[in-house]
Amino acid sequence: MNGDFGSLNNADREADERLLREKSLKMADSKHNDEDPISDEELRPQALDDFIGQPRLKAQMSLFLKAAQKRNVPPDHILLAGPPGLGKTTLAMIVAHELNVPIRVTSGPAISHAGDLASILSSLDEGEVLFIDEIHRLPRPAEELMYIAMEDFRVDVMVGKGPGATSIPLSLPRFTVVGATTREGMLPSPLRARFGFTAHLDYYPTEELKRLIHRSSDVLDIKLSDSAADELSLRSRGTPRIANRLLRRVRDWAVVHDLTKAGKKTVTDALDLYQIDTHGLDRLDIAVLNAIVKQFSGGPVGLSNLAAMVGEEAETVETVCEPYLVREGFLTRTPRGRVATKKAWEHLGIECPEDVKSLF
């Protein structure tokens, strides 16, 4: 009897697994047949010539990769540094595509100890690209393992524990590490020194963003006027990722309102709904400026007080809002705290005191 019940349970289990597989296949087919299958991956250019912006970096990288191809060797390790959303991941994918080699993708936070990294390194093939996003967040033991792997193409595997433990060197094929970081200063000097080429990505000027927006609109199949692209580029904070995100929201507005082409008014109406103003400031940016100007009379104000006033974590205000506000001249940081500039007062439509005007 027990055997009979066991066989019935196995049969039921197999039937359930078969139904789950069929359901998952149907879901995959429905996703595949969706009218809008375009993802962020498909907005990324595949070749260096198609990458918009960063002209000096493109010229440097083109020379660097072509030289490696002519010598028929994997290129030196590459470090991509810059603020989020400027195209570091896209460039890593382009490196692998230009070299016509596979790419392995991981990130610093995903590697919890040196063994994780050793496992990845030992499985790489000759010439393969290893892309490590947020490489500055690698744990210290993994960083030390990377030193030897990047320079000597070997890893030391520890076998056993205690006094009887031995280190066995394991040779690795030549590969190329592409590291991306938003905090280059947090990289230890020994690790930074092992990169043969360091590329610094800068914020995009309006004209380059406009070209990128037109390219993305073609991929997303949305007709966009020049004035609409101009308005989008002004509100995108010099960042392609933000430009593409705002373009999708404009497309949503056009679809809901049955518009065949998005003009400047479409962009204005859509982004006003999402509280993105003409300078690209969002709800939190405006809240920060309002708090400094109205509650603290323009400052100076400490970070913790400012964060409490706007109801956000101090780290969010410091890393998300402040860099752009400082770069655009709405805010300055002093030893005593944050101070709103004359431009901030004018942007909020509030009369700037004479003593503040004299400072800027």
Side-chain angles (χ1 to χ4, degrees), residues 113-119 121 139-150 154-157:
H113 50 79
D116 295 337
L117 183 59
S119 176
L121 292 172
R140 186 61 181 269
E143 284 177 356
E144 294 173 353
L145 184 69
M146 283 292 291
Y147 301 158
I148 302 174
M150 292 173 69
R154 67 178 177 87
V155 291
D156 294 329
V157 180

Side-chain angles (χ1 to χ4, degrees), residues 123-137:
S123 65
L124 292 174
D125 295 326
E126 183 75 24
E128 192 168 355
V129 170
L130 173 61
F131 174 53
I132 306 178
D133 198 11
E134 297 297 313
I135 194 171
H136 62 272
R137 294 179 63 184

Side-chain angles (χ1 to χ4, degrees), residues 200-211:
H200 296 273
L201 283 79
D202 299 318
Y203 287 103
Y204 282 55
T206 303
E207 282 305 312
E208 289 182 356
L209 267 184
K210 184 178 176 182
R211 287 171 51 210

Side-chain angles (χ1 to χ4, degrees), residues 171-190:
S171 296
L172 301 174
R174 288 190 65 89
F175 61 92
T176 298
V177 174
V178 179
T181 177
T182 55
R183 309 282 292 274
E184 187 182 358
M186 291 181 65
L187 278 177
S189 296

Side-chain angles (χ1 to χ4, degrees), residues 40 43 52 84-87 203-217 220 222 224 228-251 267 271 276 280:
D40 288 338
L43 288 177
I52 295 173
L86 298 188
Y203 287 103
Y204 282 55
T206 303
E207 282 305 312
E208 289 182 356
L209 267 184
K210 184 178 176 182
R211 287 171 51 210
L212 184 143
I213 289 167
H214 275 303
R215 178 191 177 277
S216 296
S217 66
L220 293 172
I222 171 176
L224 207 66
D230 280 333
E231 190 66 21
L232 266 173
S233 64
L234 290 172
R235 300 188 187 213
S236 297
R237 302 167 77 117
T239 307
R241 181 181 295 161
I242 295 176
N244 286 330
R245 186 180 75 229
L246 297 184
L247 179 61
R248 288 179 181 274
R249 303 292 72 79
V250 170
R251 181 190 57 176
V267 173
L271 299 190
I276 307 295

Side-chain angles (χ1 to χ4, degrees), residues 41 44 61 77-81 87-96 101-111 117 120-121 124 127-136 138 146 175-182 195 201 241:
E41 293 287 336
R44 287 177 174 152
M61 185 166 284
H77 307 298
I78 302 169
L79 179 64
L80 304 172
K88 295 185 292 297
T89 301
T90 299
L91 281 172
M93 302 297 178
I94 286 175
V95 167
V101 296
I103 183 169
R104 194 79 57 92
V105 179
T106 186
S107 66
I111 299 172
L117 183 59
I120 295 172
L121 292 172
L124 292 174
E128 192 168 355
V129 170
L130 173 61
F131 174 53
I132 306 178
D133 198 11
E134 297 297 313
I135 194 171
H136 62 272
L138 280 174
M146 283 292 291
F175 61 92
T176 298
V177 174
V178 179
T181 177
T182 55
F195 287 98
L201 283 79
R241 181 181 295 161

Side-chain angles (χ1 to χ4, degrees), residues 55-73:
R56 184 177 294 276
L57 185 153
K58 280 174 59 178
Q60 293 171 349
M61 185 166 284
S62 176
L63 177 67
F64 175 76
L65 295 177
K66 285 178 180 177
Q69 287 175 307
K70 284 195 172 185
R71 290 185 289 114
N72 198 29
V73 295

